[in-house]
Amino acid sequence: MAIETIFSKIIRREVPAQIVYEDELVTAFRDIHPQAPTHVLIVPNKVIPTAADVTAADEPLLGRMFTVAAQIARTEGIDADGYRLIVNCRDHGAQEVYHLHMHLLGGRKLGAMLARA
Ligand code: AMP
């Protein structure tokens, strides 16, 4: 059984968050430390700790995360200019919360994906 994080409490409404979307598979809410004018996290309702833990059975859920991202981008009015979707995985990916989530970032030019050394 995967260990729950603060995200499970948000999904169950035990901890407040600015929820922008929910359905039977995913919940989306605004990041508490936004890195762009729009910064929304799209989170499976069930706990999958990391992107390395997904299985073929999760494919409908993973597809839903993308279609919900596109829908929220339209609602936020950032779809025409574009945006970035990020999934951080484990230590080298700088993942902080071990409940799979997709960051939707937009509303300004985001620049290069990684700082170039
Ligand atoms: P990651 O590094 O991909 O695991 O990112 C985790 C994200 O969750 C960070 O951008 C945090 O700002 C965000 N976060 C952590 N706690 C909360 C919370 N209670 N409500 C909303 N966002 C949160």
Side-chain angles (χ1 to χ4, degrees):
M1 172 109 169
I3 297 168
E4 289 197 342
T5 70
I6 184 102
F7 288 179
S8 291
K9 292 187 168 67
I10 289 172
I11 290 161
R12 290 199 298 264
R13 306 293 202 278
E14 294 167 9
V15 166
Q18 285 186 268
I19 294 175
V20 298
Y21 177 91
E22 68 170 326
D23 64 26
E24 79 284 8
L25 291 179
V26 304
T27 299
F29 49 89
R30 295 193 192 281
D31 196 291
I32 203 165
H33 295 125
Q35 304 297 310
T38 290
H39 188 171
V40 171
L41 303 174
I42 299 148
V43 184
N45 292 338
K46 75 168 190 174
V47 181
I48 300 172
T50 81
D53 298 306
V54 302
T55 68
D58 296 318
E59 286 171 7
L61 163 61
L62 299 170
R64 182 70 61 86
M65 290 170 74
F66 273 90
T67 54
V68 167
Q71 182 177 324
I72 294 170
R74 284 192 294 275
T75 304
E76 294 280 312
I78 62 171
D79 55 319
D81 285 335
Y83 50 90
R84 184 169 292 157
L85 301 173
I86 298 175
V87 178
N88 296 320
C89 182
R90 296 184 175 165
D91 184 35
H92 282 196
Q95 184 176 0
E96 292 173 11
V97 178
Y98 275 59
H99 183 143
L100 178 67
H101 51 281
M102 177 187 282
H103 296 254
L104 165 62
L105 294 143
R108 66 170 171 82
K109 269 189 184 291
L110 296 169
M113 187 169 69
L114 294 172
R116 297 182 198 279

